[in-house]
Structure formats: structure tokens, C-alpha cells
Amino acid sequence: MTGYIAPLRLRLDAGALISNWRWLAERSGAAACGAAIKADGYGLGAAAVMRRLASAGCRDFFVSNWGEAAELEPLLEDGMTLSVLHGVREEDMAQALSSRARPVLCTAAQVARWRAANGGPCDLIVDTGMNRLGLDWRGEVATLAANLNLVTLLSHLASADEDTALNALQLSRFRAIVATVPAQRYSLANSAGICLGPDYAFDVTRPGLALYGGIASLVAVPHIRQVVWPQAQILQRRRLLEGDTIGYNATFRATRDHEVAILNLGYADGYLRAFSGRGVARSDGTPLPVLGRVSMDLMAVDVSERPDLSEGDWIDIAYDLREASAQSGLSQYELLTGLGRRYDRIWA
Ligand SMILES: *Cc1c(COP(=O)(O)O)cnc(C)c1O
């Protein structure tokens, strides 16, 4: 649809993305700072994110599966790496063997599959207590890893965004693995892990959320900038009289007259019904509260304070991730990855 201008858009702040990466890189100390760009770069667009971070000096990228890797492999330049966090299924082998991306092997069966195929350089993930993906830290990791051409050995923190004993426990388990399993590099920390301090950094860090403006730790608050700024166009302006209701199931009833703007944005765009009656839009600093229930493609905001706003005007949707998370009960991750396909994504 060339030339089509969508009635909703994400303003994406490239300067903020790069500034966030630079801060995380600095906090990573001597470790290289990579980037998790799975789930289409947390909803921003993986290729666009990868290009911008590469230009800032980021070299190590992480996606979940080989569908994501296929889209990004053409962007790999000398010295850049792309790791596929879910490893290789049988169905992935043909692609993986001819790819410049490499698998993060997760299970004994994946290790056997990769070794039998003489797969070449690979990463390996060890589970140290999250009990999600990876070889069990209590198992024969060194034996399983023997003779692999192991580039990066990873583990992943379950609760790095909390002050909990599990962090130190995972760290000590990972150190024991590092001492017994040879690899070129070791990697443990996600965004929140980077904020836990230099002990967690090892050789490569893997931030995701914080790159995109998410706050995973209070330490990060003064340094991490908002990257994603949703905007929607007014489709209709109308008057709501005292006693009128608005939206599905009439959940808002006016106790006075209101002026209302109907915006071209809804839960199919990731602005979920949890924002009904709670979310806020903004225009030049004026808060415009969401009235009634968010529909699939539409929502209503109160513009009583702003007689100047009319059909066709663009409205900002307040999307500070911590505030929006508190309003909606959705995680900062969900707020980003749910944003959907209908926005024009405009980098500035
Ligand atoms: C998603 C993911 C990351 C990034 O985590 P954030 O919390 O978004 O920083 C890092 N490592 C692994 C293995 C992941 O799955």
C-alpha cells in the first residue's frame, strides 16, 4: 500500500534508542553490550532497530526463532553476530546450516543434532534456576558441550528486576559452569541484570526492554529515555450531554456535558481494554482522559478543555511505560510487543 498514510502511528525516537544502548553499554563495563531484538524488536521493527544499533556500535543481536533470523540475516556485516535463542528444531536444520546466524542450543537433543550435522559455531544456554530453556546446571553440561565449537555460553536470570536471593544463586551456579565449560565468551545479564552490577556482566550483555524505554530497575530511571510515542488521529468530534453514555456496554455515563474526540486506535492495536476509563491521551500537555470502553479500532477521549481540536488532528497517547503499566496492569513488555501492524512506524 505505497503512499497510504495510516490514521495511527508510532513516533520512534532513534536518539533515545541509541542513548539507552550507550548507557547500558557503559553499565556493562568491559563486556560487549548486545541487543535482544526478538518479537520484531519488541514491536518497534527489528530491522530498523538493528540498523540503528549497529550504527552505534552494537555487534551482538538475539532473536527467538529462525523466521526472525531470516529477515535480519541480510543486515549482518563483518563482526556482527545473530544468535537464535530457541536453538534448532529438526525443521530448522536446513536453514540453520546455511545461515550466518547461529543457534543457542537448549537441549541435549539439539546438541546431538547440531554435532551430528557438523553444524559449526554455536551458542549454548544453561538453565540456572528459571527452569525455562537450557541444559540443567546440575547435569553433565561439560560432557554435553565437549567438542562443540562454542562461541557464547549463556544463562538467563529469572528475577533480575527484583531484589531476591535467586539472583546471587543463579550467579554462583553460572560461575561454576563458567569454570568447567570452555567457551569463547559468557553471557548472563538482560536489562535488569545489567543494573545488578558488574558481577553479572561477564563478556556479553543482552538487554531488550531497557533499549526500548522500559524501566527494569530503579537504577535506570534517570538514564533510560522513552522511545515509543503512539499517536492517533481524531475521526469525529461530538458532544456528550449529561446522562448520555458512551461506548460498548455504556460503562461511562456523563454527569455533565462533555466534548469528546473519537480516536482511530483500539485494542487490536495493542491499546487493550485494560485502559478503558484509565488511560490518558495528551495534546500539547493537556491530559485527555479515556472515556468508557476501548473498542477494537476506536476509543473516546474527553476534549472538553480543548475546543481547538477537531477531525483530522493528531493526538498523543500517553505511553510512559511505567505509568501505562500501572494504569493498565499490563507489563512493560506486553505494552511494547502488543502494538501491532496498523501503525505507521516513523523514526525521527
Ligand atoms: C528476552 C531475552 C533477553 C532480554 O531481556 P530483557 O528483560 O528484555 O532485557 C535476554 N536474554 C534472553 C535469553 C531473553 O530471552
Side-chain angles (χ1 to χ4, degrees):
M1 267 198 284
T2 47
Y4 173 69
I5 298 171
L8 65 171
R9 63 194 180 201
L10 299 177
R11 240 181 7 88
L12 299 168
D13 185 337
L17 174 75
I18 288 172
S19 153
N20 292 343
W21 180 77
R22 290 212 167 109
W23 184 74
L24 292 158
E26 193 189 303
R27 288 279 309 188
S28 299
C33 184
I37 54 172
K38 61 200 185 188
D40 201 22
Y42 287 46
L44 281 69
V49 167
M50 186 174 176
R51 262 189 231 105
R52 282 167 180 82
L53 291 180
S55 77
C58 182
R59 287 293 168 266
D60 301 291
F61 296 90
F62 299 86
V63 292
S64 287
N65 63 49
W66 290 92
E68 296 176 333
E71 188 202 330
L72 300 174
E73 200 187 326
L75 302 182
L76 283 177
E77 291 162 23
D78 278 354
M80 285 165 59
T81 75
L82 182 59
S83 294
V84 181
L85 290 164
H86 295 187
V88 269
R89 303 167 304 161
E90 195 55 49
E91 295 91 320
D92 300 318
M93 283 301 281
Q95 182 190 341
L97 288 169
S98 63
S99 174
R100 286 178 294 150
R102 58 174 186 259
V104 181
L105 303 175
C106 304
T107 68
Q110 289 192 2
V111 170
R113 183 179 294 133
W114 195 247
R115 188 183 280 119
N118 274 319
C122 61
D123 296 342
L124 181 70
I125 185 164
V126 176
D127 190 280
T128 51
M130 186 172 188
N131 285 302
R132 199 175 63 171
L133 280 183
L135 302 177
D136 193 308
W137 62 281
R138 290 163 293 212
E140 298 297 316
V141 180
T143 312
L144 277 165
N147 304 320
L148 286 176
N149 181 350
L150 203 51
V151 182
T152 310
L153 189 114
L154 296 74
S155 189
H156 191 46
L157 297 165
S159 308
D161 56 347
E162 287 180 74
D163 184 9
T164 153
L166 184 55
N167 294 324
L169 191 58
Q170 287 195 268
L171 177 61
S172 70
R173 290 169 180 170
F174 189 58
R175 280 187 170 141
I177 294 290
V178 168
T180 51
V181 183
Q184 289 174 35
R185 334 184 283 180
Y186 300 91
S187 175
L188 178 62
N190 61 348
S191 302
I194 291 169
C195 296
L196 289 176
D199 285 356
Y200 289 79
F202 293 88
D203 303 306
V204 190
T205 56
R206 314 184 303 269
L209 184 71
L211 293 171
Y212 312 112
I215 300 295
S217 157
L218 291 180
V219 175
V221 172
H223 307 286
I224 293 297
R225 287 163 54 187
Q226 183 170 343
V227 178
V228 180
W229 301 82
Q231 298 178 323
Q233 229 170 354
I234 298 178
L235 276 175
Q236 186 169 11
R237 183 177 172 118
R238 61 189 314 124
R239 176 174 290 266
L240 203 61
L241 300 178
E242 183 182 344
D244 282 351
T245 61
I246 194 163
Y248 283 121
N249 306 106
T251 59
F252 176 81
R253 179 181 298 275
T255 55
R256 57 175 172 88
D257 293 359
H258 291 262
E259 291 285 321
V260 173
I262 308 301
L263 304 186
N264 202 124
L265 176 74
Y267 61 75
D269 305 301
Y271 200 76
L272 299 192
R273 284 180 13 149
F275 284 106
S276 302
R278 297 210 183 96
V280 186
R282 256 183 235 294
S283 178
D284 298 327
T286 316
L288 311 170
V290 173
L291 297 181
R293 211 161 252 183
V294 174
S295 303
M296 186 183 295
D297 317 298
L298 297 166
M299 60 188 242
V301 296
D302 190 334
V303 291
S304 305
E305 314 264 305
R306 291 296 299 273
D308 57 309
L309 293 174
S310 59
E311 218 172 296
D313 286 344
W314 287 88
I315 301 291
D316 301 312
I317 309 301
Y319 220 62
D320 171 279
L321 291 173
R322 272 202 307 168
E323 278 174 31
S325 175
Q327 279 162 4
S328 64
L330 300 167
S331 75
Q332 296 179 56
Y333 297 85
E334 292 167 309
L335 290 170
L336 289 169
T337 57
L339 286 167
R341 302 309 320 160
R342 291 197 290 194
Y343 298 87
D344 283 336
R345 284 167 166 75
I346 298 171
W347 288 87

